[in-house]
Amino acid sequence: MKAILYFATISTVAHALPSPCPISCGPDSNCELVNVNGTRSFRFKPGFEPGSANHQKRFSSLDARQDAGDIDLKIVMGEYKMQWGCDVDILDAVAGSFDEKCGQEAGCDQSESKEFDVNKWEDDTTKPSGAKLKITMVGKYANSDVRGFLREALMTTINAPDSIEVDNEMWETMPPASAQHWGLSSESGDCAIKRFPKQVSLNRFEGIDLIDYVEIQAELEEPKRKLTATPL
């Protein structure tokens, strides 16, 4: 089985969506290329998913780890690497999300994200702020063997050299002179900013047809700041 990596950020959503591979997901295939948050993603056409009669007929004889034949693993990563927070273990966060949201059969439950409390880097004069890292798992596959293969391939992709960018920064806050008069002192600390694409998908193809896939979608959400009134 061959593994092919694509970077797939869409610069202008209004334009026609180009395919990473012209022979994949054509009009005669079981899949289509869609725009998910500005990134290209492969999806099954309705009625062609794992478990359908069509999918069973096409792929019932394929083994999850088959190396022979014309099976390609296409890895699609968004070009933009977003901040995942300070000192976040991205591999562990994705593994935990996969294990919780992706069942042994059929696919992943994308109805609700798995959330992690993280600290978001602001700048070198501001203490990192609390934020929520939300990871949504999307995927369709036939059985637990395929699930195991896709999980292993996803972990390998995340762990690849240069996949995760780490930027080590220091921050220090200095209270105003009036606050220092009342004993308030400065604070300081460090932050290993982790950056990784907000969307990554692994897609197995035989020829032009999609066999199965799994995809992660990540978002860093800051809590809403409450407005407080200051008495005059």
Side-chain angles (χ1 to χ4, degrees):
M1 181 165 59
K2 296 172 287 185
I4 307 168
L5 174 64
Y6 296 98
F7 292 100
T9 296
I10 299 171
S11 56
T12 307
V13 176
H15 289 176
L17 199 64
S19 170
C21 181
I23 66 168
S24 300
C25 290
D28 298 325
S29 72
N30 68 344
C31 56
E32 57 191 350
L33 195 64
V34 300
N35 171 9
V36 179
N37 299 323
T39 299
R40 306 176 186 119
S41 294
F42 295 108
R43 293 291 187 268
F44 287 103
K45 293 175 181 175
F48 290 79
E49 305 91 345
S52 68
N54 182 282
H55 192 278
Q56 250 183 340
K57 183 178 179 181
R58 289 175 191 250
F59 306 119
S60 60
S61 62
L62 288 181
D63 183 79
R65 298 173 182 270
Q66 181 177 337
D67 291 322
D70 297 323
I71 300 179
D72 293 330
L73 176 64
K74 299 186 189 333
I75 304 168
V76 182
M77 303 180 75
E79 286 185 296
Y80 170 71
K81 290 188 177 182
M82 78 166 204
Q83 180 189 161
W84 284 54
C86 296
D87 305 298
V88 174
D89 189 331
I90 295 177
L91 188 69
D92 186 64
V94 173
S97 301
F98 186 101
D99 293 342
E100 182 176 314
K101 300 297 182 180
C102 298
Q104 295 298 320
E105 309 288 340
C108 306
D109 176 11
Q110 66 185 80
S111 63
E112 190 175 358
S113 303
K114 184 171 176 61
E115 297 185 358
F116 301 86
D117 291 319
V118 300
N119 289 318
K120 177 180 177 290
W121 170 259
E122 300 292 347
D123 57 59
D124 58 5
T125 61
T126 305
K127 184 177 181 178
S129 60
K132 291 282 187 185
L133 173 62
K134 295 184 174 183
I135 299 177
T136 302
M137 300 301 307
V138 184
K140 291 186 181 297
Y141 44 83
N143 53 52
S144 58
D145 287 340
V146 177
R147 176 189 184 274
F149 171 79
L150 291 172
R151 185 189 190 281
E152 182 180 342
L154 181 59
M155 298 301 105
T156 301
T157 300
I158 296 171
N159 226 14
D162 302 322
S163 182
I164 298 172
E165 290 182 3
V166 183
D167 187 9
N168 294 300
E169 296 285 355
M170 301 287 296
W171 59 270
E172 183 177 10
T173 62
M174 187 66 66
S178 57
Q180 294 180 42
H181 174 75
W182 295 102
L184 292 179
S185 58
S186 63
E187 284 188 87
S188 63
D190 55 31
C191 168
I193 309 168
K194 302 291 184 70
R195 292 189 175 91
F196 186 71
K198 65 178 182 179
Q199 192 162 324
V200 178
S201 67
L202 279 70
N203 314 269
R204 288 203 315 153
F205 280 86
E206 184 183 42
I208 63 174
D209 291 318
L210 182 62
I211 306 171
D212 35 59
Y213 73 92
V214 68
E215 179 176 290
I216 62 171
Q217 300 169 2
E219 176 188 5
L220 192 62
E221 184 179 275
E222 295 185 69
K224 294 180 180 178
R225 290 180 168 84
K226 295 181 180 179
L227 296 177
T228 57
T230 302
L232 299 175

